Amino acid sequence: MSFSGHTARKRFGQHWLRDARVLDQIVSAARLQQDDRVLEVGPGRGALTERLLASAAAQIHAIELDRDLVQGLHDRFGAQSRFSLREGDVLDAPLHLGDGGFANKVVANIPYNITGPLLARLIGRLDRPVEPTYDCLVLLLQKEVAERIRAQPGRSSFSALSVRMQLLADCSLVCPVPPRCFQPPPKVQSEVILLKPFPPERRLPIDLASRVEALLKQAFQARRKMLRNTLAGVIEPQILEPLAASVGISLQQRPQEVAAEAWVALARGLNQDV
């Protein structure tokens, strides 16, 4: 079977990345070495897969949901011993490779409608990070989401997602990806980002992570309001005011103005006060 009769399906969020420059930048960002085992999410017709197999990586394992693409991928790459393929939904399918081991790097052109759940599966939550962590993830995302992940405090794009991701991984931009780089072109701008999850010694203790999560949920559900109002319902004023001052937070600030490290400091102070 070839891919000639297959058309991109909206329900799967399929947009084929066809720009050679962007494809090369994705592979370059992953810095693939001879001992790397790569998980590719949504290989589609295999444009990126082809470049991954041309790299030094030891193994490329792909997960594809669209059964009409699976046979074409087998036909195109099945003869290569370094390639394996699983048909299934990446949100549910086992992520281990054919030999039972796990990938140490992830490369993915993520369907934009599953970005949140997929990030949770590949990186985890503050109080429940993925084990073992990946060395890095190179992800093609909708620009709006990518900007939120790497946004700095004070920007309109800074959100609870920004805080969570920046406490779980180093986040950086690889390159912008305009719609013309895809077939069919999406209606939104995209970006490739590089995430390097923190090792266990750099992660927050579970009790502290849980407190940060609770604060973020409370504060960002009313992001336009001052912290004095959003946190008053969960922290008594006689505790909140001196604690916020001690960690350099003004209660007149909005949640998007408070850096990730300040949220951690506030949560640590609350845990010590309990």
Side-chain angles (χ1 to χ4, degrees):
M1 173 184 175
S2 69
F3 301 115
S4 58
H6 185 278
T7 57
R9 291 173 173 166
K10 185 176 181 180
R11 65 190 177 97
F12 290 152
Q14 291 175 339
H15 298 276
W16 316 126
L17 179 61
R18 61 179 184 175
D19 187 282
R21 180 187 61 85
V22 175
L23 288 163
D24 289 341
Q25 285 183 281
I26 290 173
V27 176
S28 177
R31 297 184 178 273
L32 299 176
Q33 306 297 321
Q34 293 181 350
D35 58 348
D36 286 330
R37 295 153 64 86
V38 180
L39 172 65
E40 183 187 4
V41 178
R45 297 175 178 176
L48 181 56
T49 312
E50 182 177 35
R51 283 168 166 77
L52 293 172
L53 285 167
S55 74
Q59 186 75 19
I60 310 298
H61 179 66
I63 298 179
E64 176 56 57
L65 176 60
D66 189 342
R67 66 180 60 184
D68 293 335
L69 292 173
V70 169
Q71 186 58 53
L73 290 165
H74 276 302
D75 292 345
R76 185 174 181 183
F77 303 115
Q80 301 198 43
S81 60
R82 295 161 57 231
F83 176 76
S84 59
L85 176 66
R86 174 175 284 117
E87 179 185 341
D89 186 341
V90 69
L91 298 180
D92 301 315
L95 298 184
H96 58 76
L97 281 63
D99 61 5
F102 285 88
N104 67 307
K105 294 183 177 181
V106 178
V107 177
N109 176 4
I110 295 180
Y112 297 157
N113 58 343
I114 65 166
T115 298
L118 187 53
L119 286 173
R121 180 150 205 222
L122 296 177
I123 299 178
R125 300 175 14 161
L126 283 178
D127 55 354
R128 194 167 59 233
V130 168
E131 293 285 359
T133 58
Y134 295 103
D135 294 343
C136 74
L137 303 92
V138 183
L139 307 178
L140 201 168
L141 306 173
Q142 183 175 341
K143 181 180 180 180
E144 180 182 352
V145 178
E147 286 183 336
R148 286 170 57 202
I149 287 174
R150 58 186 183 81
Q152 295 302 303
R155 301 292 298 272
S156 61
S157 52
F158 191 76
S159 66
L161 176 64
S162 312
V163 178
R164 292 186 182 103
M165 294 302 299
Q166 292 171 26
L167 292 175
L168 284 167
D170 284 322
C171 314
S172 59
L173 173 67
V174 174
C175 64
V177 188
R180 67 175 181 273
C181 296
F182 299 89
Q183 181 59 41
K187 296 180 180 180
V188 297
Q189 299 288 327
S190 305
E191 287 186 353
V192 178
I193 62 171
L194 173 64
L195 303 177
K196 294 184 177 180
F198 296 143
E201 60 270 19
R202 288 189 63 187
R203 295 183 209 147
L204 300 180
I206 297 301
D207 61 337
L208 182 56
S210 297
R211 177 72 74 168
V212 173
E213 282 282 4
L215 288 173
L216 295 177
K217 182 177 181 180
Q218 179 68 23
F220 278 94
Q221 68 181 357
R223 57 181 290 126
R224 296 180 184 275
K225 294 184 178 181
M226 292 186 294
L227 295 177
R228 183 182 304 280
N229 298 320
T230 56
L231 297 181
V234 293
I235 308 172
E236 296 178 359
Q238 62 268 32
I239 296 175
L240 176 60
E241 293 182 8
L243 178 56
S246 71
V247 299
I249 295 176
S250 168
L251 294 180
Q252 293 183 341
Q253 289 180 296
R254 272 71 177 175
Q256 65 268 28
E257 298 173 324
V258 179
E261 297 77 11
W263 285 110
V264 174
L266 183 62
R268 182 177 289 113
L270 288 172
N271 279 2
Q272 292 171 351
D273 189 72
V274 172

